[in-house]
């Protein structure tokens, strides 16, 4: 069929849409059976020994068509599209209504509005280290240690009056460049890298077409220690009962399996984490590559 441009909302203007900020791209080994729940039948899942490559993309945009906002893309797995492979998003959480609507209707993403609660946690260390008495006498036997800080980001999905905790992501000092500029430096930001990532989306209730779009990225990249991820109420057991009640409300609407499987992806085993600094991401308008499935044809084939 002919490829058709998908019209963007007026607030986003004419594509390409440019996003600037920073991000963490973390790769996980995800169980193939978990990923298959999200992958359209048109694609073959890239897997080995029962696992595929998924993970998440956590971004903070300083500038975008929707202004400043945070985004968490849960990546279910990798699909094969000759001659290359592409990541498939299981869930996209953003704290911007405009970005959510744009993602749903015009990029075919499974977007949901969410709250990103951020908290800097100082980890104090002893001010002195053990040393021999001779070094202490000459004044070099003590060495003050700088406290190491962490950034906790709690992601909570919002649907009308109902809310549900998705996860808490614990980041190291590399994520505190904006909150604590003193810890940032050029040597810690890595080399400049340019890449072009073809992406697929769609097959959602808001956009049933299968879409393809180009995502061009320019940034300074470096490997960092993988972030720790906790599931709902894992860090705060006192709120477990309250969260469970709220989860019941939201899962009746969006589907308990879909949400729980997205959390399973976040909690899977991390193998690599990449920090994107000075990020510039250019997203082209998506194009329709396949129409929605015809239910009549499906029924005739059964």
């Amino acid at each position: 069929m002919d490829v058709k441009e998908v019209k963007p909302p007026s607030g986003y203007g004419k594509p390409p849409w440019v996003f600037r900020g920073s991000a963490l791209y973390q790769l996980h080994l995800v169980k193939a059976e978990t990923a298959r729940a999200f992958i359209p039948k048109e694609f073959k899942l890239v897997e080995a020994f029962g696992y595929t490559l998924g993970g998440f993309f956590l971004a903070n945009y300083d500038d975008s068509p929707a202004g400043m906002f945070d985004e968490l893309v849960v990546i279910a797995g990798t699909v094969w599209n000759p001659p290359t492979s592409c990541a498939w998003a299981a869930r996209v959480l953003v704290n911007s209504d405009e970005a959510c609507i744009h993602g749903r209707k015009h990029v075919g993403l499974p977007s949901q509005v969410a709250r990103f609660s951020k908290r800097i946690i100082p980890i104090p260390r002893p001010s002195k280290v053990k040393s021999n008495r001779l070094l202490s006498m000459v004044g070099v036997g003590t060495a003050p240690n700088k406290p190491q800080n962490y950034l906790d980001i709690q992601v909570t999905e919002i649907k009308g009056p109902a809310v549900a905790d998705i996860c808490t992501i614990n980041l190291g000092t590399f994520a505190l460049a904006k909150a604590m500029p003193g810890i940032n430096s050029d040597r810690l930001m890595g080399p400049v890298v340019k890449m072009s990532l073809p992406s697929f989306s769609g097959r959602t209730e808001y956009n049933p077409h299968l879409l393809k779009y180009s995502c061009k990225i320019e940034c300074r990249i470096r490997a960092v220690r993988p972030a720790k991820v906790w599931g709902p109420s894992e860090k705060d057991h006192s709120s477990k009962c309250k969260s469970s009640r709220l989860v019941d409300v939201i899962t009746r609407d969006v589907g308990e399996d879909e949400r729980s499987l997205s959390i399973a992806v976040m909690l899977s085993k991390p193998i690599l984490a990449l920090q994107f600094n000075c990020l510039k991401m250019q997203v082209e308008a998506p194009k329709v590559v396949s129409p929605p499935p015809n239910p009549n044809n499906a029924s005739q084939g059964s």
Side-chain angles (χ1 to χ4, degrees):
M1 64 172 293
D2 295 335
V3 174
K4 299 179 181 179
E5 295 280 345
V6 178
K7 295 182 180 180
S10 57
Y12 265 66
K14 186 178 180 180
W17 304 296
V18 178
F19 301 78
R20 301 176 188 271
S22 59
L24 175 70
Y25 187 23
Q26 186 155 306
L27 300 176
H28 289 198
L29 287 178
V30 179
K31 289 184 178 180
E33 59 182 346
T34 300
R36 282 198 193 94
F38 300 100
I39 307 301
K41 294 180 180 180
E42 291 94 330
F43 292 119
K44 180 180 179 181
L45 185 68
V46 178
E47 61 176 297
F49 305 105
Y51 290 88
T52 185
L53 198 60
F56 66 87
F57 181 80
L58 176 66
N60 173 253
Y61 300 116
D62 296 322
D63 181 49
S64 80
M68 297 176 61
F69 72 94
D70 296 297
E71 178 181 51
L72 173 62
V73 181
V74 182
I75 302 170
T78 305
V79 298
W80 176 243
N81 176 57
T84 185
S85 57
C86 305
W88 185 269
R91 207 175 197 83
V92 178
L93 299 156
V94 293
N95 55 359
S96 164
D97 290 339
E98 186 178 1
C100 179
I101 293 171
H102 173 261
R104 284 177 175 177
K105 294 185 176 181
H106 301 277
V107 191
L109 296 173
S111 300
Q112 301 287 340
V113 176
R115 179 173 61 244
F116 289 70
S117 303
K118 303 177 183 180
R119 181 177 59 167
I120 296 175
I121 303 176
I123 309 296
R125 291 183 176 181
S127 59
K128 296 183 179 181
V129 294
K130 292 184 179 180
S131 60
N132 61 48
R133 296 181 63 183
L134 177 60
L135 291 177
S136 298
M137 291 175 63
V138 296
V140 295
T142 61
N145 288 310
K146 294 181 180 179
Q148 186 172 6
N149 297 284
Y150 292 90
L151 178 64
D152 258 7
I153 302 179
Q154 184 178 23
V155 184
T156 305
E157 189 173 309
I158 302 172
K159 191 174 182 67
V163 298
D165 290 341
I166 299 297
C167 65
T168 298
I169 304 172
N170 180 257
L171 304 174
T173 53
F174 69 85
L176 300 178
K178 294 180 181 178
M180 304 174 66
I183 69 170
N184 198 17
S185 65
D186 285 345
R187 69 181 181 85
L188 294 177
M189 296 177 72
V192 176
V193 174
K194 295 181 180 180
M195 64 186 88
S196 182
L197 303 176
S199 301
F200 284 91
S201 60
R203 293 290 189 257
T204 68
E205 62 175 307
Y206 299 99
N207 196 324
H209 298 86
L210 183 62
L211 308 175
K212 184 178 183 179
Y213 61 95
S214 173
C215 182
K216 297 179 181 179
I217 293 178
E218 179 179 347
C219 65
R220 300 187 65 169
I221 188 171
R222 72 183 183 112
V224 295
R225 179 176 296 179
K228 296 180 181 179
V229 182
W230 286 272
S233 304
E234 229 175 314
K235 293 193 72 179
D236 184 7
H237 295 283
S238 64
S239 62
K240 185 173 183 179
C241 294
K242 181 179 178 181
S243 296
S244 297
R245 289 195 298 270
L246 294 171
V247 167
D248 288 341
V249 174
I250 197 168
T251 53
R252 282 198 298 267
D253 192 13
V254 303
E256 184 176 358
D257 288 344
E258 180 183 322
R259 178 182 173 276
S260 61
L261 288 172
S262 296
I263 294 173
V265 172
M266 292 296 298
L267 299 179
S268 56
K269 183 177 179 59
I271 58 174
L272 176 67
L274 299 173
Q275 180 189 6
F276 291 178
N277 287 303
C278 305
L279 171 66
K280 177 185 177 182
M281 183 170 65
Q282 181 175 298
V283 180
E284 300 289 344
K287 297 178 179 181
V288 177
V289 296
S290 179
N294 190 328
N296 294 329
N297 293 341
S299 61
Q300 291 172 4
S302 59

